[in-house]
Structures are given as C-alpha cells and as structure tokens.
Amino acid sequence: MTSNSELREMSDEQLEATAAEAARELFQLRFQSQSERLSTPSDIRKNRRLIARIKTIQTERSKAAEANSTPA
C-alpha cells in the first residue's frame, strides 16, 4: 500500500499511472466480487481510498499552481 508521503513525492505522470492502475484493479475486483467470492473483500475499499488520495493530491497541486500563476 502506498502512503501519502510516497504519493506526494511522485510526479504528475506517476500519479496518473498509479490512478489508472488502481482503477483497472478496482474494476477487476468488482467484477470478481459479482462472479465469485473475493479472498480479501477489503481490497475494494483500499483501492477506492487510494484513488481518492491520488485525486486529492492532484487537486491540491492544481490549486497551488493556479494560486502561484495568478497575481495578487
């Protein structure tokens, strides 16, 4: 599992790739949960939270970039 500090150290491209991978895995887990039993049902929650963390960091970065580019 990736911690917040590890996510914040990643570049924007790495965050995008991590989010895409987590979304793919979440899709597979949801599909698997409907067709058969999951060995660890908590993986769905972990992936959802990872995606939310990544999106939060991306939003923070975009707001910081807007604040720095806009003259006060």
Side-chain angles (χ1 to χ4, degrees), residues 2 9-10 12-15 17-18 21-22 27 34-35 43-44 49-50 53 56 63 66 69-72:
T2 311
E9 291 174 1
M10 289 183 179
D12 291 336
E13 294 82 20
Q14 290 173 325
L15 281 176
T18 305
E21 181 182 334
F27 175 78
Q34 293 299 316
S35 61
D43 284 346
I44 292 175
R49 289 183 178 179
L50 174 61
R53 273 192 217 101
T56 300
K63 286 185 178 183
E66 286 178 12
S69 66
T70 306

Side-chain angles (χ1 to χ4, degrees), residues 5-70:
S5 60
E6 291 174 355
L7 289 174
R8 290 187 189 283
E9 291 174 1
M10 289 183 179
S11 68
D12 291 336
E13 294 82 20
Q14 290 173 325
L15 281 176
E16 283 290 327
T18 305
E21 181 182 334
R24 256 184 269 117
E25 187 174 343
L26 180 61
F27 175 78
Q28 291 173 349
L29 287 170
R30 285 182 175 164
F31 191 84
Q32 187 179 6
S33 72
Q34 293 299 316
S35 61
E36 59 189 56
R37 294 208 178 255
L38 290 174
S39 57
T40 53
S42 63
D43 284 346
I44 292 175
R45 179 183 293 168
K46 289 176 186 176
N47 274 328
R48 279 192 0 240
R49 289 183 178 179
L50 174 61
I51 293 169
R53 273 192 217 101
I54 291 171
K55 287 183 178 183
T56 300
I57 292 170
Q58 289 173 332
T59 302
E60 289 173 351
R61 287 183 182 180
S62 67
K63 286 185 178 183
E66 286 178 12
N68 289 339
S69 66
T70 306

